[in-house]
Amino acid sequence: MALFDAIYLSDEMRGIFSAEATAQAWLDVEAALARAQAEIGMIPASAAAAITRAARTSDLDLAKLDADTRALGWPILPLVHQLSDRCGDDAGGYVHWGATTQDIMDTGLVLQLRAAWTVIDRDLGAIQEILIDLAQRHRSTLMAGRTHGQHALPLTFGFKAAVWLDEMTRHRHRMAESRSRVLTLQFGGAVGTLASLGDDGLAVRAALARELGLSEPVISWHVSRDALAEAYGLAAAAATTAEKIAQEIWLLMKTEIGELAEPAIPGRGGSSTMPQKRNPVTCELVATCAAAARRDAAASVESMRHDHERGMGPAHQEWYLTPTAIPRAGTALSLIKSVLADLIVDADRMRANLDITQGLLLAEAVMMELAQRTGRQKAHVLMKDVCHRAIAENRPLYDVMAETTAVTDVLTPDALGACLDPANYLGTADAMIDRAIAAARRPIPHKAHQNNMEA
């Protein structure tokens, strides 16, 4: 429903995958094909120039294209008819020379993917910078680390942000490494052999790849959809990391916790009935978009099951996926970028929440200190008993330990106090934060394929 597109699709993604942009991508391929064929002398240069001039959606009757597509079940034939008519009799006869529908649609999709990859890479880079800043500013901001939804050990919010950072860094590297496979020309003719172009087929294909700034395929990939499945999968994986971050913010925004919050935007997240509410609606939108991207990624893997030299059904499923799979993933990343950029971090609440279990969070720290004298197993049994008593009596862990001879015979009051300081039990968190930041700032490999994105 178009009404919901306003919140589930970013303006950039909507623009890249709109009906007009899709038709223009097909026209761009048709025009580039004509220029490539003129380059090797297959068709007149004047015809290629006329086709290029006419290959604009502003010159198309989009309503007629829509109606004809509904009638025929395929969009390229009616597109070719309109383009040929606008080129006139001489040039019009050279439109779509030696190509097949899937050549145009697949390569048009690759052009759209290139534009989307550019936006996604930019947003991933921006998210990295935001997370680097959060990791650095909050490397000493103490908070409770939680496992299975419960307090486990102390860590810092900077460490949590660095974990997010490293995951985003890996996504960016994976997407960069995939460009040579994903951004690949499709041009093979009816069954992939380029028989319609005789001995000039490979020369035309090479010239067309140069015209469009795409990788040239080793062999036609009409029924080899693994690269598209890879693209959808990589985008969905990055979107799911965005969702994981959104879910963490959503959980830590709960009234009882109150450690993080979405940016405070007037009117955003309000309730239609409860004046006090400020709901984490942007995080919820991130989750919805990421879930849709995962479903589409799974469907794209199903579309790999093409039969013979052209399948029945998988291609149509890909057409259905095209305007949703990558756009939803890109939108999830765009939304989480906006949340992180102005994320509200309540460091005081984080510190206060460390104390709600009255020292139990540091039980492992005490155990490890005791273990140096008693051995790990004995220390574990002893501290388990101490913790159970502290919980049952609702008393601070320090008080119970101070009454336990097996503890006080080993540790002085000052040593116990040091064990219960969360700042003293962060391990190598600082060093790992630095490593995550350094990895994020390292140059991305496979830059040789950058031209594929920017052509």
Side-chain angles (χ1 to χ4, degrees), residues 69 202 260 397:
T69 299
L202 292 181
L260 296 177
L397 181 63

Side-chain angles (χ1 to χ4, degrees), residues 42 51 71 96 129 216 226 230-231 235 239 252 258 298 348 350 373 448:
M42 181 173 286
I51 293 168
H96 201 67
E129 290 303 317
E216 186 181 355
D226 56 295
E230 178 183 12
L252 296 177
D348 292 337
M350 288 178 173
R373 295 275 299 275

Side-chain angles (χ1 to χ4, degrees), residues 32-262:
L33 175 60
R35 293 194 299 272
Q37 291 169 333
E39 179 185 320
I40 69 165
M42 181 173 286
I43 71 171
S46 58
I51 293 168
T52 298
R53 285 194 300 271
R56 299 177 302 179
T57 51
S58 57
D59 292 334
L60 286 182
D61 184 337
L62 291 174
K64 178 174 171 51
L65 179 61
D66 182 69
D68 289 347
T69 299
R70 289 171 185 266
L72 294 173
W74 299 82
I76 298 303
L77 185 57
L79 179 88
V80 168
H81 285 164
Q82 285 201 41
L83 180 57
S84 296
D85 289 344
R86 277 157 178 73
C87 289
D89 291 339
D90 291 340
Y94 292 106
V95 171
H96 201 67
W97 192 266
T100 194
T101 288
Q102 201 169 339
D103 290 333
I104 306 305
M105 295 189 70
D106 281 348
T107 302
L109 172 58
V110 170
L111 295 180
Q112 290 175 294
L113 287 176
R114 181 170 65 191
W117 243 229
T118 301
V119 172
I120 289 173
D121 182 73
R122 183 205 66 204
D123 283 348
L124 284 172
I127 291 169
Q128 283 180 303
E129 290 303 317
I130 294 167
L131 290 174
I132 286 172
D133 178 64
L134 286 172
Q136 289 177 326
R137 283 194 292 120
H138 293 284
R139 65 166 60 240
S140 300
T141 301
L142 292 165
M143 67 180 300
R146 296 168 171 91
T147 61
H148 301 281
Q150 300 182 18
H151 281 204
L153 293 174
L155 47 71
T156 66
F157 181 61
F159 182 84
K160 186 184 289 285
V163 171
W164 297 342
L165 168 64
D166 199 43
E167 198 164 332
M168 287 296 186
T169 297
R170 291 193 297 274
H171 288 309
R172 198 175 184 201
H173 280 248
R174 277 189 286 263
M175 295 187 77
E177 196 273 335
S178 74
R179 285 176 192 141
S180 62
R181 294 185 296 275
V182 172
L183 304 182
T184 298
L185 173 74
Q186 170 73 286
F187 184 64
V191 296
T193 62
L194 287 172
S196 59
L197 300 183
D199 294 337
D200 293 323
L202 292 181
V204 171
R205 192 178 73 176
L208 179 55
R210 288 195 299 273
E211 278 285 336
L212 294 172
L214 298 175
S215 300
E216 186 181 355
V218 173
I219 195 168
S220 302
W221 50 275
H222 291 134
V223 289
S224 297
R225 318 305 286 179
D226 56 295
L228 292 182
E230 178 183 12
Y232 293 145
L234 289 175
T240 301
T241 294
E243 180 187 4
K244 183 181 78 172
I245 296 171
Q247 179 172 292
E248 185 78 358
I249 295 168
W250 180 87
L251 288 168
L252 296 177
M253 192 173 171
K254 287 183 176 182
T255 305
E256 302 91 324
I257 300 176
E259 295 178 0
L260 296 177
E262 282 191 4

